[in-house]
Amino acid sequence: MAAFNINRFRSEGLVFGGARPTNFMVTLSFPGLIDIPGSSQKAAMLCRASKLPESQIQEVPIPYFGRTIKLAGNRQYDDWEVVIMNDEDFLLRNAFEAWHNAINTTISNRLDPGVAAISPALGNSYKSTALVTQFSKTGPGDIDGDGAIKTYKFEGIFPIAVSDIPLDWQDINSIETFTVRFAYDWYEPYTKANEQPIFDLELSNP
């Protein structure tokens, strides 16, 4: 590596000024069986924190005469979380609790009979889709506008945990939040929402 030179870093390093963790939006599609109007729109406004997902491939250790080589294993998708600000209408809290109840009712321990499939594409599923989109410093326009620079689409997503909301008389000048943890089948990375993926997601048959 060449000796330190601030002009080289300025011209070859963070040439766009760096991506900012505050410039993002989460777009959640609630299943059709969740009949709470405005849930998706409000989620886009009140999702305060999230993360771009980790890419993880497991390893397969192969021992041989006291030494080990490692081979590439299968891809694994860890859970994805969002932090939601709670408003006094409890709209999003109610929506996530209703989604949970459709998967497994609180008293009868049953799946909602309105769930006919596990594929969101077929409809009537407890699974859905979600987007997390990174925007540039020029700011977001529409979700597909010029400000979107990176998008991950989660397929087959559903909530596995809706966290508690701590209550405390001493906790003043703050807004309640709760965390929702999702399981999902896979994610698809795009340079912008609804554009072509950055690599081949599914190799064609020879």
Side-chain angles (χ1 to χ4, degrees):
M1 183 175 179
F4 170 77
N5 185 306
I6 191 64
N7 282 325
R8 181 179 180 188
F9 177 79
R10 188 167 59 178
S11 62
E12 300 178 18
L14 295 174
V15 295
F16 297 105
R20 306 298 169 85
T22 55
N23 294 355
F24 78 97
M25 179 186 296
V26 169
T27 307
L28 287 171
S29 298
F30 285 82
L33 54 87
I34 308 303
D35 187 20
I36 300 181
S39 300
S40 294
Q41 294 86 338
K42 198 146 190 177
M45 299 294 295
L46 297 186
C47 181
R48 194 197 71 184
S50 184
K51 62 182 179 180
L52 303 180
E54 181 180 27
S55 182
Q56 187 178 146
I57 294 178
Q58 299 298 298
E59 62 184 44
V60 181
I62 307 295
Y64 178 77
F65 277 78
R67 294 293 182 266
T68 302
I69 65 170
K70 297 177 181 179
L71 305 181
N74 292 324
R75 182 177 287 273
Q76 176 177 307
Y77 297 97
D78 286 344
D79 300 336
W80 179 62
E81 293 185 344
V82 297
V83 178
I84 303 290
M85 293 186 291
N86 191 35
D87 206 354
E88 287 190 339
D89 59 4
F90 273 70
L91 188 146
L92 287 178
R93 182 76 177 187
N94 293 340
F96 284 115
E97 289 179 344
W99 194 349
H100 244 193
N101 192 67
I103 297 172
N104 184 262
T105 54
T106 58
I107 295 178
S108 59
N109 190 28
R110 295 176 58 198
L111 177 71
D112 190 314
V115 177
I118 63 170
S119 172
L122 298 177
N124 298 326
S125 175
Y126 65 83
K127 293 188 174 186
S128 189
T129 59
L131 301 174
V132 57
T133 302
Q134 173 84 54
F135 292 100
S136 70
K137 293 183 294 299
T138 59
D142 295 329
I143 195 70
D144 297 319
D146 292 338
I149 56 177
K150 180 75 173 182
T151 293
Y152 290 88
K153 181 180 181 182
F154 299 91
E155 287 285 354
I157 195 168
F158 63 96
I160 58 175
V162 180
S163 78
D164 58 7
I165 299 178
L167 303 175
D168 188 341
W169 283 355
Q170 296 188 95
D171 189 6
I172 60 175
N173 298 324
S174 64
I175 302 296
E176 290 179 357
T177 63
F178 63 94
T179 300
V180 182
R181 188 166 77 250
F182 296 92
Y184 60 95
D185 294 329
W186 71 86
Y187 66 74
E188 300 170 2
Y190 298 86
T191 52
K192 293 185 180 181
N194 299 326
E195 286 194 354
Q196 293 297 314
I198 60 176
F199 47 75
D200 190 357
L201 298 173
E202 182 179 1
L203 297 179
S204 59
N205 293 326

